[in-house]
Amino acid sequence: MAVNLQPLESTQAAARDVSALKQVFETIDPESCPRSYNFHMHTIASDGKLRPQELIEQAVANGLQGLAITDHHSVNGYLQASCWLQEWKQWYQDRCQYPIPHLWTGVEINADLLNTDVHILGYAFDPKHPSLQPYLQGSGAKGDAAKADNVIGAIQAAGGLAVLAHPARYRRSPEDLIHEAARLGIDGVETYYAYDNPNPWRPSPKQTQLMQKLSAFYGLLSTCGTDTHGRSLLTRL
C-alpha cells in the first residue's frame, strides 16, 4: 500500500518557513514567552530531561503557538518531535481544545566570537543542508569551523536565521558581542531571557532593557525562550 508522504512533507516545509518565523520574531515582547512562544528548549537528544514527545505534549497543553527545539549540536530531538506532532495532528487535533503549535527547526551551536565561547541558535533551516553537517554531530566543531562567522554563514546557507543566545551570560560584555555579531551578519539576539532562573519564568528586566536597545540599534530580530533543561517548559531548570 502506498504511503501518503504529503502531510510529512508539509510539516517539514513549515519547519523551514523562515518568512513566517521572521514575522513572529518581529512581534515578540516580554509577555510572549513562555505561554505563546518558546524558541529555546532542550530534550534528551542533548542535555535536557524531556523526551521529544513529552515536550510536544507540554507545548500543546500550554497552548503554545510556535516553538523550536534547540538541542546542542543535534536535530534528533526536533526530528522525533516533528514525527510525533504530525501523528498527533492526524489523530487527535479534532478532539483537542488546544491550537496546533508551529514547530520550526532549531539547534544551538558553540562558536568563537571575540575569543569568547558563545552559543548561536539556528532556526528554520534545512537540517539536511551540507553546510550544517559539521555542527550536527553531537559536539562542537573545531578550528575555523568554530568561528562565529562560519557558524552564522552555515545556518544562513541552510536557509535559516542565526541568533546570539543569552548575550549577557558570557565573560565578554553584551555590547561588544552584539556589535561584533551584527558586523558578521547575525540575524537576531535572544532579547528576552531569564538570567536568574525565576519561577515562574520571566525575562530579567535589566538585561532585557539593554538587549532591546542593542537589538534596535543594530536592526536585529528579537527572540525569547526558557532554555528549558528540566521537566517543565515553563522554567529553565
Side-chain angles (χ1 to χ4, degrees):
M1 180 175 64
V3 177
N4 184 6
L5 297 178
Q6 186 174 357
L8 180 58
E9 291 172 353
S10 176
T11 299
Q12 293 173 343
R16 302 192 300 270
D17 190 342
V18 71
S19 177
L21 185 57
K22 280 185 177 179
Q23 291 179 23
V24 170
F25 285 166
E26 289 168 355
T27 69
I28 292 294
D29 61 33
E31 304 300 321
S32 297
C33 187
R35 293 290 184 176
S36 296
Y37 295 99
N38 197 338
F39 294 105
H40 195 163
M41 297 177 285
H42 300 275
T43 73
I44 58 173
S46 61
D47 57 349
K49 294 183 178 179
L50 285 171
R51 292 183 292 116
Q53 177 178 334
E54 293 174 320
L55 188 149
I56 293 298
E57 288 173 341
Q58 282 194 37
V60 172
N62 290 340
L64 279 180
Q65 299 174 44
L67 71 152
I69 295 170
T70 53
D71 281 315
H72 297 276
H73 306 106
S74 174
V75 292
N76 290 335
Y78 153 75
L79 292 172
Q80 294 177 47
S82 179
C83 290
W84 191 88
L85 182 60
Q86 179 58 41
E87 181 178 321
W88 181 86
K89 287 179 181 179
Q90 291 178 327
W91 295 102
Y92 301 111
Q93 63 176 328
D94 293 337
R95 289 172 282 171
C96 183
Q97 60 181 313
Y98 303 108
I100 302 171
H102 189 138
L103 175 65
W104 280 277
T105 52
V107 70
E108 188 168 12
I109 300 172
N110 285 39
D112 181 350
L113 180 65
L114 293 178
N115 297 314
T116 302
D117 184 27
V118 303
H119 295 175
I120 295 177
L121 297 160
Y123 299 110
F125 52 82
D126 176 359
K128 296 180 180 180
H129 195 279
S131 70
L132 278 178
Q133 299 319 301
Y135 305 102
L136 301 180
Q137 304 303 315
S139 60
K142 305 295 184 182
D144 286 346
K147 293 181 178 178
D149 57 339
N150 290 325
V151 174
I152 293 168
I155 293 169
Q156 293 172 342
L161 299 174
V163 171
L164 181 62
H166 38 66
R169 279 187 61 188
Y170 308 113
R171 62 181 180 82
R172 194 77 180 251
S173 75
E175 291 91 343
D176 289 347
L177 293 173
I178 292 175
H179 171 81
E180 180 65 8
R183 188 185 71 82
L184 296 176
I186 206 163
D187 299 290
V189 295
E190 194 171 35
T191 298
Y192 305 105
Y193 188 86
Y195 289 93
D196 50 352
N197 298 324
N199 189 2
W201 189 96
R202 66 184 182 278
S204 303
K206 181 179 178 181
Q207 291 89 341
T208 293
Q209 185 176 29
L210 176 59
M211 300 315 150
Q212 287 174 320
K213 291 180 179 178
L214 291 171
S215 62
F217 180 81
Y218 291 106
L220 300 174
L221 297 166
S222 288
T223 72
C224 69
T226 56
D227 197 4
T228 292
H229 287 76
R231 301 289 306 175
S232 172
L233 297 186
L234 303 180
T235 59
R236 180 176 173 228
L237 301 174

